[in-house]
Amino acid sequence: MSNEQVTAGLVVIGDEILSGRTKDVNIGATAEFCTDLGIELQEVRVVSDDMDAIVEAVNALRARYSYVFTTGGIGPTHDDITADAVARAFGVDLPIHPVAREMLMSRWKDLEVTPARLRMARIPEGAELVTNAVSAAPGFWIGNVIVMAGVPVIMRAMLESVAPRLKGGRKVLSAAVDAAVGEGDLGDPLAALQDEFPDVKMGSYPQMGQGQVRTQLVLRSTDAERLAAATARVEAMVAAVQHKRDIGQSRKEKQ
Amino acid sequence: MSNEQVTAGLVVIGDEILSGRTKDVNIGATAEFCTDLGIELQEVRVVSDDMDAIVEAVNALRARYSYVFTTGGIGPTHDDITADAVARAFGVDLPIHPVAREMLMSRWKDLEVTPARLRMARIPEGAELVTNAVSAAPGFWIGNVIVMAGVPVIMRAMLESVAPRLKGGRKVLSAAVDAAVGEGDLGDPLAALQDEFPDVKMGSYPQMGQGQVRTQLVLRSTDAERLAAATARVEAMVAAVQHKRDIGQSRKEKQ
């Protein structure tokens, strides 16, 4: 743990996400993973299986964030072009990696070594392999870019495998305050408290469909004391707003 | 239906998605919606509740695609800055919209009209309101940008409300072929067929965790005849690959 802010971007690659055929779950998993490590995921881009689109997204994000994760497009078929695109983004060749080839062939045993299968052993020059417990096909890590599979269970195994080598940032602590009133009643006093605690990020989330209006307020900070101070103030503010609302209701009932 | 290609980008706005606290479902819903209308969703960006990040994403995508949808950040609290950001992206003012104000006040009745609540009536100059059946707070449509709520049920109601006014593209037809073999066996012959049918997009999706290796091949085209011809060829290819695999297995059993 350092005091440095560590950031990340994520590029999700695949036509099937953009067509709606497959529902992405890798964004949520990567987001949780980053938060747990104190890494701030700041941007996600979902792009199609298109060379230019992948190269542009990878280059934009790797210039901007400490780490860039990519998911998808490293399988054996013609539309799996992530390795090609990342090699192009870094301006390096994409040879068959002897260790990756070995890993794949030892898993396949009796399977025929087709050119399609060997596509998965092509690794950009200078990259390190990212192995995983689920599949023999490795991802890779080049510069600050970590290239992972799109299949969620394999993607998560690859995240676990790189976790010990990622530098973590300041751990972000959070607190939640539940309010039995709507966002509209909380917005102004919450904005005032946010101004007072610029180092504690305050978010507000309406809870829909529970029969009554409720709002959850979430506070996040890297400073435990400031978080506690801000949370106490938010709790007091919520109590005051609820009280005001109750008085208004009892007056109406008496009329 | 026209022959024009109609494209879309989506900007998902919200710290809660990037922290992993909330799992996005709006990407999948928007993707399905676009596909049904023959609109090609080509890119999604998830950005935080940050003015510069939202402005940059909206401006990048609106220059590039026929439509840009945004979800999130139009509620009553201080971190709801999507309207501000879109107004800034278009270089227009953000006054209280009298119709939006009326819609909100008629729904609130006894609720106090707080400045926070009135935030939701601020609409960029020149925008049209996007009403919805679920919530009184409107989204809006300015230029080619359609700004919607982040709460999924409200977002979907807003999509339904704009659907009749969106120009649809060529409807994309699809067909699926199930194969009882892995992607590694299909990659090369599938790539050959893809070369032969450049106007039929072929995707390959491994089916994991079902006890046996299976792959689903999905073909998409705007041309029904070409789709049928390509599907027939893919079916024949899959049958041949499966047959080859079966012969290989029976030889091994005889040894």
Side-chain angles (χ1 to χ4, degrees):
Chain A
M1 298 281 164
S2 70
N3 272 339
E4 191 189 350
Q5 192 197 26
V6 182
T7 59
L10 168 64
V11 184
V12 174
I13 297 155
D15 290 351
E16 71 279 16
I17 307 292
L18 292 169
S19 73
R21 195 182 157 278
T22 298
K23 299 299 179 289
D24 170 78
V25 295
N26 291 338
I27 295 173
T30 305
E32 282 186 354
F33 174 83
C34 285
T35 298
D36 287 347
L37 289 180
I39 296 172
E40 259 185 60
L41 180 62
Q42 296 201 333
E43 184 175 352
V44 180
R45 297 194 186 181
V46 186
V47 298
S48 67
D49 299 314
D50 175 85
M51 178 65 73
D52 293 339
I54 303 170
V55 171
E56 184 198 321
V58 167
N59 276 336
L61 269 52
R62 77 189 177 98
R64 205 176 274 193
Y65 305 114
S66 315
Y67 296 110
V68 175
F69 299 97
T70 79
T71 70
I74 63 167
T77 56
H78 63 92
D79 57 346
D80 290 307
I81 59 171
T82 298
D84 307 71
V86 172
R88 185 175 298 185
F90 280 85
V92 300
D93 283 340
L94 185 66
I96 299 276
H97 190 294
V99 177
R101 183 195 167 106
E102 199 49 49
M103 287 166 55
L104 289 164
M105 293 192 50
S106 71
R107 178 78 63 108
W108 293 333
K109 292 184 185 104
D110 297 329
L111 284 177
E112 194 183 342
V113 180
T114 60
R117 289 214 167 84
L118 276 181
R119 280 177 69 81
M120 294 191 288
R122 298 176 315 142
I123 303 288
E125 215 142 46
E128 287 177 62
L129 300 184
V130 172
T131 57
N132 76 94
V134 180
S135 139
F140 56 87
W141 182 333
I142 180 168
N144 61 341
V145 177
I146 295 157
V147 172
M148 306 185 294
V151 176
V153 61
I154 301 176
M155 197 281 296
R156 288 195 304 272
M158 288 179 171
L159 280 179
E160 292 302 337
S161 126
V162 296
R165 293 154 64 199
L166 294 170
K167 58 180 181 214
R170 295 163 298 183
K171 176 87 181 171
V172 178
L173 307 167
S174 74
V177 177
D178 287 307
V181 287
E183 282 194 303
D185 288 309
L186 297 167
D188 294 326
L190 188 68
L193 285 173
Q194 177 68 85
D195 285 343
E196 205 174 314
F197 291 88
D199 52 340
V200 179
K201 201 153 192 186
M202 302 179 186
S204 150
Y205 304 96
Q207 319 267 285
M208 308 263 309
Q210 304 191 353
Q212 63 167 139
V213 178
R214 298 195 66 90
T215 307
Q216 185 174 63
L217 304 177
V218 176
L219 293 79
R220 292 184 186 278
S221 177
T222 54
D223 183 324
E225 279 183 33
R226 291 286 288 167
L227 179 65
T231 303
R233 294 289 301 280
V234 167
E235 284 171 342
M237 179 274 286
V238 166
V241 170
Q242 289 178 172
H243 183 66
K244 189 175 159 201
R245 192 265 330 262
D246 293 344
I247 288 178
Q249 282 181 346
S250 91
R251 278 203 190 123
K252 237 181 281 166
E253 280 156 18
K254 281 180 196 158
Q255 283 168 358
Chain B
M1 297 282 161
S2 71
N3 272 338
E4 191 190 349
Q5 193 197 25
V6 182
T7 59
L10 168 64
V11 184
V12 174
I13 297 155
D15 290 351
E16 72 278 17
I17 307 292
L18 291 169
S19 73
R21 196 182 155 277
T22 299
K23 299 297 179 292
D24 170 78
V25 295
N26 290 337
I27 296 174
T30 305
E32 282 186 354
F33 174 85
C34 286
T35 298
D36 287 348
L37 290 179
I39 296 172
E40 258 185 61
L41 180 63
Q42 295 200 334
E43 184 175 353
V44 180
R45 296 194 187 181
V46 186
V47 298
S48 67
D49 299 313
D50 175 85
M51 178 64 75
D52 293 340
I54 303 170
V55 171
E56 185 199 322
V58 167
N59 275 336
L61 269 51
R62 77 188 177 99
R64 205 175 274 193
Y65 305 113
S66 315
Y67 296 110
V68 175
F69 299 97
T70 79
T71 70
I74 63 167
T77 56
H78 62 92
D79 57 346
D80 289 309
I81 58 169
T82 299
D84 307 70
V86 172
R88 184 176 298 184
F90 280 85
V92 299
D93 283 341
L94 186 65
I96 299 276
H97 190 294
V99 176
R101 182 195 167 103
E102 199 49 50
M103 287 166 54
L104 288 164
M105 294 191 50
S106 71
R107 177 79 63 106
W108 292 334
K109 293 185 184 102
D110 298 328
L111 282 178
E112 193 185 343
V113 179
T114 60
R117 288 211 168 85
L118 275 182
R119 280 178 69 81
M120 294 192 289
R122 298 175 316 142
I123 304 289
E125 216 142 47
E128 288 177 59
L129 300 184
V130 172
T131 57
N132 76 94
V134 180
S135 140
F140 56 87
W141 183 332
I142 179 168
N144 61 340
V145 177
I146 296 155
V147 171
M148 307 185 294
V151 176
V153 61
I154 302 177
M155 196 280 298
R156 288 196 303 272
M158 288 180 170
L159 281 178
E160 293 302 337
S161 127
V162 296
R165 294 154 65 201
L166 294 171
K167 57 179 184 217
R170 297 161 297 181
K171 176 87 180 172
V172 178
L173 307 167
S174 75
V177 178
D178 287 306
V181 288
E183 280 194 302
D185 288 310
L186 297 167
D188 294 325
L190 189 67
L193 285 172
Q194 177 68 83
D195 284 343
E196 205 175 315
F197 291 88
D199 52 340
V200 180
K201 200 155 192 184
M202 303 180 186
S204 151
Y205 304 97
Q207 318 267 284
M208 307 263 309
Q210 303 189 355
Q212 63 167 140
V213 179
R214 298 195 67 89
T215 307
Q216 186 175 60
L217 305 176
V218 176
L219 294 78
R220 295 185 183 277
S221 177
T222 55
D223 183 324
E225 279 183 34
R226 290 285 289 167
L227 178 65
T231 303
R233 293 288 302 280
V234 167
E235 284 170 342
M237 179 275 285
V238 167
V241 170
Q242 289 178 171
H243 182 67
K244 189 177 159 202
R245 191 265 331 259
D246 293 344
I247 288 177
Q249 282 182 345
S250 92
R251 276 205 192 123
K252 234 180 285 168
E253 281 157 18
K254 278 180 198 160
Q255 282 168 356

